[in-house]
Amino acid sequence: MRVLLVEDEVALAQTLRRGLVQEGFAVDLAHDGREGFWRARELPYDVLVLDLMLPLRNGYEVCRDLRAAGVWTPVLVLTAKDGEYDEVDALDLGADDFLTKPFSFPVLVARLHALVRRGAPERPVELRAGDLRLDPTTRRVHRGEEQVALTAREFALLHHLMRHRDEVVSKAQILDAVWDPHADTDPNVVEVYVRYLRRKIDVPFGRAAIQTVRGAGYRLAADGG
């Protein structure tokens, strides 16, 4: 099994390489995002191990641009960052799995074997609700042919609602998915951002995709309103 390890900490990369070789993997190394992207795009690998905080191009950009280029090699993200929002971002951009440093080497090996077993089927990532479209890979939103500019938080909120379209999601569920679940965030912030979203994806187009379900939460209509 051929692995591309993209890690800028040279000592860690060499240690992981030796361990993976002993486990039967053939391992290529790249120490920055630019080289990692080139290798992953141009050469065949069974799995990619990708650090997020890389020089030249960060891991988010590498993963996003590989998926945009139609490269579906399974990606396991390694990072020292431990925020849930960082994990959500990585997975939304096309990563398949996630490990936070420090991690157990046997767990890394087991995760890699699992990814290789699953393979790399092409996965359409665009979400649709009528003529409302959201692409996590390019982080673009369209109403019909018109692109809608959203902030990072607005995008995350819309993404969560579209993943659960036609379902009622509570404020608490939205806070856990879109904001830091460990922070003392005022639940009313959800109402504020729902208003922001409506002004961008509904009002200008005469639609009502985001529906308020009194006493329960919000629902995004599957037909886009």
Side-chain angles (χ1 to χ4, degrees):
M1 290 178 284
R2 191 175 182 190
V3 178
L4 174 61
L5 173 59
V6 188
E7 169 60 65
D8 64 323
E9 297 181 40
V10 176
L12 174 60
Q14 294 292 351
T15 298
L16 290 176
R17 182 181 191 177
R18 286 194 297 269
L20 290 172
V21 168
Q22 290 176 358
E23 294 291 332
F25 292 92
V27 183
D28 289 345
L29 292 181
H31 296 303
D32 64 69
R34 184 179 298 165
E35 181 185 0
F37 175 75
W38 180 86
R39 284 181 172 275
R41 186 185 61 186
E42 301 297 331
L43 303 173
Y45 291 98
D46 295 297
V47 65
L48 169 61
V49 180
L50 179 66
D51 188 29
L52 284 184
M53 306 309 291
L54 294 166
L56 301 184
R57 300 185 73 177
N58 65 49
Y60 294 117
E61 295 172 341
V62 171
C63 190
R64 178 198 65 201
D65 292 347
L66 285 174
R67 297 319 190 209
V71 177
W72 298 102
T73 305
V75 174
L76 173 68
V77 165
L78 290 181
T79 179
K81 303 179 75 174
D82 59 1
E84 183 175 286
Y85 197 69
D86 301 314
E87 180 176 353
V88 169
D89 276 346
L91 296 174
D92 282 350
L93 289 172
D96 299 273
D97 205 351
F98 190 99
L99 274 180
T100 301
K101 301 174 184 176
F103 54 86
S104 162
F105 182 74
V107 170
L108 170 64
V109 172
R111 296 280 186 91
L112 293 180
H113 280 298
L115 288 176
V116 172
R117 284 196 302 271
R118 291 202 296 265
E122 184 170 337
R123 295 156 293 178
V125 295
E126 187 175 76
L127 299 176
R128 290 176 176 261
D131 66 347
L132 180 63
R133 296 178 286 123
L134 180 148
D135 189 335
T137 301
T138 62
R139 301 188 76 79
R140 291 175 181 161
V141 173
H142 288 82
R143 259 294 188 192
E145 298 304 313
E146 184 172 339
Q147 185 170 336
V148 181
L150 300 180
T151 66
R153 192 75 71 182
E154 291 166 352
F155 183 92
L157 173 57
L158 180 60
H159 185 222
H160 183 72
L161 292 172
M162 291 189 72
R163 285 176 60 191
H164 299 276
R165 55 194 175 277
D166 248 8
E167 300 176 18
V168 177
V169 289
S170 68
K171 285 184 181 180
Q173 290 171 320
I174 292 172
L175 282 174
D176 282 346
V178 178
W179 279 265
D180 183 350
H182 305 294
D184 186 20
T185 306
D186 186 342
N188 289 328
V189 74
V190 176
E191 296 179 19
V192 173
Y193 274 85
V194 166
R195 285 200 299 271
Y196 291 162
L197 265 185
R198 283 172 169 157
R199 291 171 186 168
K200 292 185 176 183
I201 68 168
D202 279 347
V203 175
F205 303 94
R207 305 295 181 84
I210 303 176
Q211 304 166 353
T212 299
V213 182
R214 294 195 179 278
Y218 299 95
R219 175 174 52 217
L220 189 134
D223 63 1

